[in-house]
Amino acid sequence: MPPAAFSPTAGRTSSLRTRLRLHSACALLLIAGQGTGWAADPTAEQQYWLELTNRFRSDPAGELEKLANFSSPGVWDTPRSDDAHIAYALNYFGTSAVDLAAQFSALTAAPPVAWSSALNNSATTYSNLMVTNDQQAHTLDGLSLDQRIENGGYSTNWLEIGENLFAATQNIIHGHGGFVIDWGDGNGASPGFGNGIQNPAGHRDVLVDSAFKEVGIGFQSIAIPGGNVSAIGPYVVTQHFATQYRFDGANYFADAILTGSVYQDTLSADLFYTPGEGLAGVAINVYEDLSGILVASGFSNSAGGYNIVLTGLTDGVVYRVEAPDTGLAAQTFTLDAHVENYGAPVTFYDNVYSSFMVVPEPGSMLLCFVAALHALAFRSRRHSS
């Protein structure tokens, strides 16, 4: 991170990504087998960041409108953001409202990503390493990114991996905004910051990449020395993104994951998950709608989130999601399937997002559930090797 381009409250982010072809993945499968992960729950703040990430993936242009203020398309309002740290960064780097609007108009929505405890483990380990070394860089441990995530317990059967870093995150919205807007030096080696947007906008590209299905968002778990000048926090953040495959002896699959949250909208009353609103232990069941066969199930975790792998489900079949303890009507979805080439064809089933929001009934202390299920059926964008 060049000192001239670094500001303690603006901060620069850093990103990295890798793509694997299946002839290599097969060798890993035969030699190393499939990895296992830990089942640690996200914290409420991590669940919040996951919800923000999926909100951005579902509506990129709409997310920009939530993070920044415009008086008209391509024209900044005052302040440039309701978050003071984001507003400072946009002013510090001289970020162009015109260029932002143009870039976001070209983005397409992507399916949601699900929480991975193994990726969170590797991400947390790396955030701690940035604190210890007082650096924001992708090479501090001398490992490749695949070694890093596999050491954290992620499957060796991976197809796509990516990493975002931000060692001076002031709060969750500031960190999320840093990756989404991707403010920074857009001028390369030339003087000044150019349009104030990193070129390319790698962090944003990782965030909205439809090939990614899982994420871990790791905050440092050790104290930040007072003498640090780069990894200063208060949140030192690593995001690890990945996609893994399943092989049934004949074909390769990247299964869909049902992800979402159950929360009571009583703290912020903003129709969105807020830390402290999550409800734990709520049963979520998935059935084939026609036959009534239970195909998957799970419970909301301690932060109110859930992530249920939909192994073996197929496109063109109607499935329903029930939260039986709520008494609500079932929600239905169908899966979107598409084939991607990794040296061998892999059938991707896009993830599905669902949200169960609890609101107080008018004039009563009782709570009622309002459920919304959004099957984000957007085709994956292809990537070049």
Side-chain angles (χ1 to χ4, degrees):
M1 185 186 313
F6 176 73
S7 166
T9 54
R12 292 189 62 192
T13 55
S14 186
S15 72
L16 176 71
R17 70 157 301 154
T18 303
R19 191 174 196 259
L20 188 73
R21 294 182 68 83
L22 265 176
H23 63 267
S24 298
C26 291
L28 287 171
L29 173 64
L30 292 172
I31 296 170
Q34 182 169 344
T36 57
W38 292 270
D41 291 348
T43 65
E45 288 182 314
Q46 289 168 329
Q47 182 66 38
Y48 179 44
W49 203 322
L50 175 63
E51 297 290 330
L52 291 170
T53 298
N54 283 330
R55 189 176 71 180
F56 167 58
R57 287 170 69 91
S58 70
D59 182 10
E63 190 68 10
L64 180 62
E65 294 290 335
K66 292 179 174 65
L67 294 172
N69 297 327
F70 302 90
S71 60
S72 60
V75 179
W76 289 122
D77 202 348
T78 303
R80 297 188 177 189
S81 173
D82 292 337
D83 180 87
H85 302 294
I86 293 178
Y88 177 86
L90 295 173
N91 281 294
Y92 179 85
F93 288 108
T95 302
S96 167
V98 171
D99 289 353
L100 265 187
Q103 290 178 10
F104 273 75
S105 69
L107 296 179
T108 57
V113 287
W115 182 260
S116 166
S117 296
L119 292 177
N120 178 61
N121 186 69
S122 61
T124 300
T125 298
Y126 201 77
S127 290
N128 287 340
L129 192 62
M130 287 197 289
V131 171
T132 300
N133 287 271
D134 189 23
Q135 292 184 56
Q136 178 179 288
H138 292 282
T139 57
L140 297 179
D141 54 6
L143 301 176
S144 60
L145 183 53
D146 58 316
Q147 292 172 320
R148 196 171 299 154
I149 68 164
E150 289 171 16
N151 286 350
Y154 195 72
S155 173
T156 57
N157 301 344
W158 58 267
L159 297 170
E160 303 271 355
I161 51 177
E163 178 178 86
N164 282 342
L165 307 176
F166 196 179
T169 302
Q170 300 300 300
N171 56 50
I172 304 302
I173 288 292
H174 173 241
H176 173 64
F179 290 144
V180 169
I181 297 171
D182 227 351
W183 59 66
D185 186 0
N187 222 19
S190 301
F193 296 135
N195 66 356
I197 306 168
Q198 294 198 42
N199 183 23
H203 315 91
R204 184 198 308 152
D205 291 343
V206 167
L207 277 185
V208 79
D209 192 328
S210 60
F212 287 128
K213 299 176 74 68
E214 297 180 90
V215 66
I217 304 169
F219 306 148
Q220 84 284 356
S221 60
I222 61 176
I224 300 174
N228 274 17
V229 295
S230 293
I232 60 173
Y235 296 90
V236 177
V237 180
T238 301
Q239 293 183 330
H240 280 165
F241 291 83
T243 295
Q244 58 185 294
Y245 68 86
R246 172 175 59 87
F247 183 60
D248 68 358
N251 299 297
Y252 297 96
F253 302 92
D255 291 313
I257 304 171
L258 173 66
T259 186
S261 60
V262 184
Y263 64 98
Q264 51 184 357
D265 193 32
T266 53
L267 296 181
S268 298
D270 58 357
L271 307 181
F272 193 75
Y273 179 97
T274 298
E277 293 183 341
L279 297 176
V282 178
I284 306 295
N285 295 329
V286 182
Y287 299 89
E288 185 180 307
D289 191 48
L290 184 61
S291 67
I293 295 174
L294 180 68
V295 295
S297 63
F299 293 88
S300 59
N301 58 39
S302 58
Y306 57 88
N307 305 275
I308 303 171
V309 180
L310 305 177
T311 304
L313 273 63
T314 58
D315 60 319
V317 174
V318 178
Y319 298 96
R320 70 175 186 268
V321 181
E322 295 183 359
D325 295 335
T326 69
L328 288 170
Q331 304 292 313
T332 59
F333 68 91
T334 57
L335 293 180
D336 177 51
H338 45 94
V339 177
E340 303 292 344
N341 185 15
Y342 288 85
V346 180
T347 301
F348 268 68
Y349 292 96
D350 288 342
N351 289 356
V352 180
Y353 178 81
S354 66
S355 165
F356 292 87
M357 183 179 67
V358 182
V359 295
E361 290 184 344
S364 171
M365 294 302 292
L366 298 176
L367 294 176
C368 65
F369 279 81
V370 177
L373 177 67
H374 307 284
L376 301 180
F378 297 98
R379 286 189 61 84
S380 169
R381 303 195 323 264
R382 281 185 193 276
H383 302 275
S384 62
S385 298

